[in-house]
Amino acid sequence: MIDDIQQDADARMRKTVDATRDEMNRIRTGRASPALLDHLMVEYYGVQTPVSQVATVAVADARTLTVQPWEKNMIAAIEKSILESDLGVNPVVAGAIMRIPLPPMTEERRRELGKLVKREGENGKVAVRNIRRDAIHTVRELLKEKAVSQDQGKRAEGALQSLTDRYIAVIDQVVSEKEREVVEI
């Protein structure tokens, strides 16, 4: 019973770390990355579809992305989606290929992104702590029902705390790596 609770908490915490990593990948750094366009949606035959499912997104050089739609009529919809996004870039259409030059980041923008990285990291930590809280609550319910002994309950709480500490350390590592990327010129 307690093992199931711990395994569930472990799986949920791992998913939270993965989600935090995905959020970090969406934050723009000084280098071009296809992950910048992952969250953009474009209308494709009446359905909102990710850009990566209607076009090939590649890195041309350190500061340029290329987008090549699989259907030529999609280029206008992709361009509109990019212009309406919060990326702050202006795509250049050349025939069937779109180039997206990424302007160099200013010091002020780097500080803003650093704050955003910390905020996303803190959101991940809060989610991990919430998972711990829920798991400990479940263990305490089992204690009230006398389904487990006091010793088993205390050991489970200690194991959940060490699990939480481990995943928070992983999130801290992800945050520090992303901060280094953001300040890198």
Side-chain angles (χ1 to χ4, degrees), residues 137-149:
H137 177 73
T138 305
V139 168
R140 289 185 179 157
E141 288 295 317
L142 290 174
L143 278 171
K144 282 182 186 174
E145 296 169 2
K146 304 279 189 210
V148 295
S149 69

Side-chain angles (χ1 to χ4, degrees), residues 55-110:
T56 302
V57 180
V59 177
D61 59 49
R63 291 235 162 95
T64 308
L65 287 173
T66 59
V67 179
Q68 186 169 11
W70 297 324
E71 296 179 21
K72 287 187 178 187
N73 63 340
M74 289 303 299
I75 202 142
I78 294 171
E79 181 181 25
K80 179 182 174 192
S81 175
I82 292 170
L83 288 172
E84 290 175 351
S85 73
D86 60 350
L87 292 174
V89 296
N90 291 316
V92 177
V93 178
I97 294 179
M98 180 184 306
R99 297 194 186 288
I100 305 170
L102 300 175
M105 290 196 302
T106 63
E107 188 63 33
E108 179 182 335
R109 181 71 176 143
R110 288 182 194 280

Side-chain angles (χ1 to χ4, degrees), residues 19-60:
T20 302
R21 275 196 182 105
D22 289 345
E23 286 299 319
M24 294 294 174
N25 286 338
R26 291 181 182 166
I27 298 174
R28 184 180 155 215
T29 59
R31 285 180 258 132
S33 168
L36 289 174
L37 303 181
D38 281 353
H39 69 287
L40 292 183
M41 302 297 267
V42 64
E43 189 164 322
Y44 184 64
Y45 293 108
V47 177
Q48 289 296 316
T49 309
V51 169
S52 60
Q53 291 183 9
V54 296
T56 302
V57 180
V59 177

